[in-house]
Amino acid sequence: MLRLTAVEVAAATVLLSCAATATADESNKCLLYLAESTIPNAGLGIFTGVPVEEGKILGRVGDAAFPTVDQDWHVSPETSMLSKHSGDYHWPLTNYDWNADVIGMDDVAKDVSVTVSGFGAALNCHFALLNVDEHVPTYDAAGLDRYTSPGAGAITPWWNRTSTALRDIAAGSELYVDYDSSWFTFHSRASHFQSVPLASSYTKALAFMNKYGKMLVGTDSPEDLVKDKMMIGDEVQKDLWDIIKTHPYVSRKRQALPETHKDGIRAIKAGDIMGVEVENSIRSLEYLEEHGKCVDNIVPQQSTIPHAGRGAFATRFIPKGGLVAPAPLVHIADKSKANMYATKKSPNGNITRDEEKVVHKQIILNYCFGHPNSTLLLFPYSSNVVYINHHSTEY
């Protein structure tokens, strides 16, 4: 249900100021907010600021995608093959990456993982409340010719990976995408996420709740779950529910149960946990305005800087000192893990990396914050921050 926790992720908000000249428009509402997730201990989440009909795009434009190619080979020493998925070396974006075939980028190289900013990294997963359908990015080099432009190869040509509403979504709703159950059960994460409910957990939880309801009234009819038919009093029911929810035995099924006894009774009557969970996943627009950060102040367009590809442009007036975009950051401790090496033949005839010849870098390096005297990289994973270009005078 979350991608944070085990990785070194900072929910730091970077305030980037600019003198924008976009025309102010009172009706230009914020479409998306970054705020604290409604899932306990899940860190940040994305919320819609307006109602969205099924099939409609969420936000204004899709997100950028960054392939990391043959990284295990480039990181591995001559004597062994390391795997980032097994934790053999530290690359925290592994917890945010998508399989290349899901993104439609499996033909880029032999071994490809894909980092997608925005919806591809900031959304949480709640199997009872999935409401986002994600699509594949568009390949478009932004007019940069591979043979003549010095900027070609320095930008990712995969962009505009759109996300649409899987069903009608109310304003203030948190947005959830399907990670697939395997993300939570993968061996390097299984122990950490052993209590996160999977899709099947909610079916099992509802079956348990129906038995619980029968215990309270002695019948199978949810309509009998009214005060004057209960076999035990309200306080005893609440205490019993607290025991069930706080029992030291951790299970996905237990975590799928509604948080409060009142919500549990409502779910039994409705025959569905989803209705209760939907209500608990909505924040008021007042809350989002006060505690959240608007994500759609900028969108990508063709940059005014020659050979820069795309840049970020304001969607509304932004005053001096105002928020351009929130930028939660993933910490990458060792930037050398983005090195790509030349090949050489080892004494036993195998083709291995030549550690003395760094011939390229993974493309995502160009989208990270860093310093020449530090090994640390900071990747901003919210929507469109990666499109903000550098200019030595017009900043």
Side-chain angles (χ1 to χ4, degrees):
M1 219 177 270
L2 57 158
R3 290 184 184 160
L4 310 177
T5 317
V7 299
E8 298 176 18
V9 176
T13 298
V14 180
L15 294 177
L16 305 166
S17 57
C18 75
T21 58
T23 304
D25 184 358
E26 297 253 344
S27 65
N28 193 7
K29 296 180 179 179
C30 181
L31 303 184
L32 298 169
Y33 289 91
L34 184 73
E36 183 180 357
S37 175
T38 58
I39 302 174
N41 304 313
L44 300 172
I46 297 287
F47 297 77
T48 177
V50 296
V52 184
E53 296 178 1
E54 179 181 346
K56 298 295 184 181
I57 189 171
L58 292 155
R60 300 177 185 275
V61 69
D63 294 300
F66 311 91
T68 300
V69 301
D70 299 325
Q71 188 176 26
D72 286 349
W73 186 89
H74 285 288
V75 169
S76 296
E78 183 176 321
T79 55
S80 63
M81 177 61 78
L82 305 180
S83 170
K84 59 185 175 185
H85 297 290
S86 298
D88 294 337
Y89 62 94
H90 187 249
W91 186 255
L93 288 175
T94 302
N95 291 283
Y96 292 78
D97 285 352
W98 294 85
N99 292 335
D101 58 335
V102 175
I103 307 295
M105 295 170 58
D106 49 326
D107 59 348
V108 173
K110 182 179 179 180
D111 175 24
V112 188
S113 57
V114 184
T115 305
V116 182
S117 59
F119 274 56
L123 264 60
N124 290 311
C125 176
H126 191 312
F127 284 109
L129 300 177
L130 301 177
N131 54 10
V132 174
D133 190 15
E134 295 192 302
H135 306 283
V136 299
T138 301
Y139 184 92
D140 184 339
L144 303 185
D145 184 80
R146 296 287 297 178
Y147 298 97
T148 61
S149 174
I155 70 164
T156 177
W158 288 276
W159 79 301
N160 198 26
R161 188 203 185 202
T162 57
S163 299
T164 54
L166 199 57
R167 52 182 170 79
D168 290 348
I169 304 174
S173 298
E174 184 166 3
L175 301 176
Y176 302 106
V177 69
D178 188 354
Y179 289 8
D180 192 81
S181 296
S182 61
W183 192 91
F184 296 99
T185 58
F186 188 71
H187 62 84
S188 64
R189 306 186 190 102
S191 60
H192 188 77
F193 294 116
Q194 62 181 325
S195 63
V196 174
L198 306 179
S200 60
S201 306
Y202 292 94
T203 302
K204 295 175 181 177
L206 187 60
F208 168 84
M209 290 164 60
N210 288 333
K211 293 179 181 179
Y212 175 79
K214 182 178 181 179
M215 181 195 72
L216 294 181
V217 295
T219 74
D220 290 320
S221 176
E223 288 75 21
D224 290 340
L225 288 168
V226 292
K227 188 172 183 179
D228 59 350
K229 292 187 178 183
M230 296 289 189
M231 299 173 68
I232 56 177
D234 288 349
E235 292 304 314
V236 177
Q237 292 179 43
K238 293 176 183 177
D239 289 344
L240 180 58
W241 192 257
D242 287 342
I243 292 172
I244 293 171
K245 287 293 292 181
T246 59
H247 192 276
Y249 174 73
V250 178
S251 73
R252 299 183 192 275
K253 179 174 68 175
R254 191 193 73 182
Q255 291 303 103
L257 297 172
E259 195 62 32
T260 67
H261 181 265
K262 180 180 178 181
D263 285 344
I265 297 299
R266 288 172 55 212
I268 297 171
K269 288 182 176 180
D272 183 20
I273 296 176
M274 179 178 174
V276 173
E277 293 293 308
V278 165
E279 293 181 16
N280 295 334
S281 70
I282 298 176
R283 295 201 183 278
S284 69
L285 295 183
E286 291 75 19
Y287 175 95
L288 294 174
E289 279 290 329
E290 182 177 356
H291 301 287
K293 304 292 183 183
C294 186
V295 175
D296 72 330
N297 286 331
I298 54 175
V299 292
Q301 296 179 23
Q302 190 73 30
S303 176
T304 58
I305 303 173
H307 305 291
R310 294 181 179 87
F313 291 78
T315 60
R316 53 178 62 88
F317 174 73
I318 305 174
K320 183 178 180 180
L323 176 73
V324 173
L329 305 168
V330 178
H331 290 63
I332 300 171
D334 184 3
K335 63 185 178 185
S336 71
K337 297 299 186 292
N339 288 347
M340 302 176 77
Y341 297 89
T343 61
K344 70 175 183 179
K345 184 174 289 188
S346 67
N348 61 10
N350 292 330
I351 301 299
T352 63
R353 66 171 185 166
D354 187 342
E355 296 183 23
E356 297 181 358
K357 295 181 181 179
V358 177
V359 294
H360 202 54
K361 307 282 186 177
Q362 300 288 353
I363 193 67
I364 201 166
L365 182 72
N366 290 346
Y367 294 87
C368 293
F369 299 114
H371 190 279
N373 297 329
S374 173
T375 63
L376 180 67
L377 295 176
L378 301 172
F379 176 70
Y381 65 80
S382 63
S383 292
N384 301 323
V385 173
V386 294
Y387 288 114
I388 299 176
N389 287 318
H390 167 77
H391 197 291
S392 59
T393 59
E394 300 298 322
Y395 58 87

